Each structure stands twice: as C-alpha cells, then as structure tokens.
Amino acid sequence: MKQKEKLVVLIGPTAVGKTAASIHLAQKFNGEIISGDSMQIYKTMDIGTAKISEEEMKGVPHHLIDIREPEENFSAAEFQELVRGKISEIHSRGKLPMIVGGTGLYIQSVIYDYQFTDAPGDEAYRNGLEKEAEKLGNEEIHRRLEQIDPKAAFNIHPNNIRRVIRALEIYHCTGKTMTEYQQNQHNELLYDVALVGLTMDRDVLYSRIDLRVDLMMKEGLLEEVKSLYDQGLKEAQSIQAIGYKEIYEFLDGKVTLEDAVENLKQNSRRYAKRQLTWFRNKMDVEWFDMTNTRENNKKIEEISDFVAGKLGLWSNS
C-alpha cells in the first residue's frame, strides 16, 4: 500500500495568531506553506484579507497567494485540485507541506476523500434567484435556505450568494439538501495529517479582531477597497469578502464610514465564531489555547512537539 504523504494543517479563526505559529513550524520542519484562505488568492486585495507580508514570511515559501484577478471566480473544487497538486510538488522537493488558513470547506475538501456534488443544475431557476437576490437582498435568499437546510445555512455566509443559490438549486433539482449530499461523503483522510487548531478566549479574540480592523483602516483599507470600487467591480465574488462589502456600502452612500467599520468588526467576530464551530464539528483537531499571548512561544513549542510526534519528524533546529 502506498504510504500517505505527510501534511500539517494549521487552522483557527481570524486574528488568533496562525501566521506567527505557521512560520515557526515551517522553519523548524523545513516546510512550505499553502494558504488555506479563500480570499488571499486575489491580487491587490492585501489589507482586507490580512495577507502575509514578504517580511513576515521570513524566507518561507508561500503558495496560492495572488493567483487570481479580483474579477475572477474561484471555487472550492478548483482549490482542492490546486492544493493536492501543490502537496505532491512540495513533497517531491523533500519539503513538508503545510496548509494554513481559516476556510473550513476548502481545507476539508483537500484532506478528506471529498467529492464535489455533481447534482444537476437548473440555469433558469438559478438566474431567477440571482435576480431576486439583487432585488430583495442576499439575506432574504439566505432565509429561504435556512428554512429547508438550516445546517447549510449556518455554514454558508449570506453574502456568499453563489453557494447559497447552489444549495437551493440542488434542493430544487433533486429534493435533497446540500447537507444530505455532504453526509454521503467519505471521511477517509487522504494524507498523514497533523491537524492543529488554535483557539482563544472569546472576549480576547474579539478585542484582537477589533484592533486588527482599526489597524487595517490605518494601513489604507478604505483606499484599497475604493480602488476596486473605482474599477467598477460590483458583482465579483471577491467583493463579497468581509472587509470589502462593508466598505462598499459606505462608498455606495448607504452607511457612514463609522458604521461601515463597526459592521466590519461585527461581521468579522461572527465569522470567527462560525469558523470555530465548523472546525469543531467537521474535523478531528488537536486544539491549543493561545489566550495568554505572553506564553505564545511555549505554546508553539507544544505544537511543534505534537506535530513531530504525530508525523514522526526530525526538526531543523
């Protein structure tokens, strides 16, 4: 039987401290990092997606960052294919692949034997829902999904309207919910995985998120979003990301800048809560509490020991 490729997966909510931990692990175990974030694939969208800087990378190679233009669509199925290819490529160079990020479905689709639904579609029905979403708002279409498939509705953000509509379309065409389709998936791990999760006391995490948003604004988030807005990017998938849609509402004159920033903080906190719920329900994760930031180095050493033990690795240091 072919030996499974070794893989580290580091997950956790936004602002929990994944970047610093991932760089330490990559340096220790001769690793290369694959971004597991569904929005860091987009070029020019740097501040709002909290993209790692060249300086922060400390020479560690990073993959799947800046690979799409903001107007392009990108699916979990494409991510699955690209990342599996990258894992093999990194292994072929004698390095350890590491997926780092917070987009649950994307990561789950890579590490498990996950088949994307080939359920039939109905273009007329889909187009109708898209028009209704424009007219009535994303929340209304999301509420419909909530009524027929509460679990899918919980896991799909209202502003990810393409996936909301796809879930409704599957039900419309087959009478089966998206959740029922996903329950038929195999839970077999395709890799020899060390699955590490970072968590934090909720109040501490929420205050870190708020601080991060304030910093993003100081770093020029408004100007970054305005540049996309001025290019006429209105319906693109990328603009549905948290950090962009809230500023778009300000640029559209719907809210004040102060309210847009507050909405961004609130949406980021809610997203962090959903991320943690997803990871806890869907994956067998070894959790490490990062609440006491003064003990971060000690925690990162604990994580290193766990990874080494789980995968039978020798470190570089």
Side-chain angles (χ1 to χ4, degrees), residues 42-93:
Y42 290 112
K43 296 172 187 174
T44 74
M45 296 175 66
D46 302 335
I47 300 168
T49 63
K51 210 174 276 176
I52 188 168
S53 68
E54 199 76 38
E55 195 183 345
E56 287 172 315
M57 288 181 188
K58 294 185 177 171
V60 173
H62 280 65
H63 305 274
L64 263 65
I65 292 175
D66 295 338
I67 61 165
R68 288 284 189 277
E69 298 298 336
E71 62 271 19
E72 292 182 83
N73 285 335
F74 189 71
S75 69
E78 286 175 90
F79 178 84
Q80 180 192 62
E81 187 183 350
L82 284 172
V83 173
R84 286 181 179 171
K86 279 286 170 201
I87 289 170
S88 295
E89 179 200 311
I90 292 165
H91 264 287
S92 73
R93 294 198 297 273

Side-chain angles (χ1 to χ4, degrees), residues 30 53 57 78 85 94 151 177 179 233-234 250 254 269 275 287 304:
N30 197 20
S53 68
M57 288 181 188
E78 286 175 90
K151 202 167 178 184
T177 64
T179 299
L233 276 177
K234 293 285 171 76
F250 161 68
K254 293 176 182 172
R269 294 192 297 265
Q275 282 176 302
W287 290 99
S304 298

Side-chain angles (χ1 to χ4, degrees), residues 108-177:
Q108 186 190 20
S109 76
V110 170
I111 65 175
Y112 292 100
D113 183 16
Y114 193 101
Q115 311 292 321
F116 282 96
T117 175
D118 52 1
D122 180 335
E123 195 176 346
Y125 177 79
R126 184 166 64 247
N127 291 342
L129 283 177
E130 284 167 0
K131 287 194 177 84
E132 285 189 71
E134 281 174 36
K135 192 172 155 189
L136 305 172
N138 294 349
E139 294 282 351
E140 172 55 34
I141 309 302
H142 190 263
R143 267 194 290 274
R144 293 183 201 175
L145 180 59
E146 219 164 26
Q147 286 165 1
I148 61 158
D149 190 354
K151 202 167 178 184
F154 181 81
N155 286 322
I156 304 171
H157 192 277
N159 282 310
N160 191 344
I161 195 66
R162 285 173 71 244
R163 281 198 69 221
V164 173
I165 289 172
R166 179 59 181 145
L168 287 166
E169 187 183 15
I170 288 168
Y171 184 72
H172 167 77
C173 292
T174 68
K176 282 185 179 177
T177 64

Side-chain angles (χ1 to χ4, degrees), residues 213-214 217 222 246-247 250 255-266:
V213 171
D214 289 337
M217 292 305 291
L222 176 59
E246 295 85 0
I247 304 294
F250 161 68
V255 296
T256 64
L257 183 57
E258 192 182 353
D259 284 344
V261 171
E262 191 46 53
N263 291 341
L264 170 47
K265 288 178 179 178
Q266 189 178 54

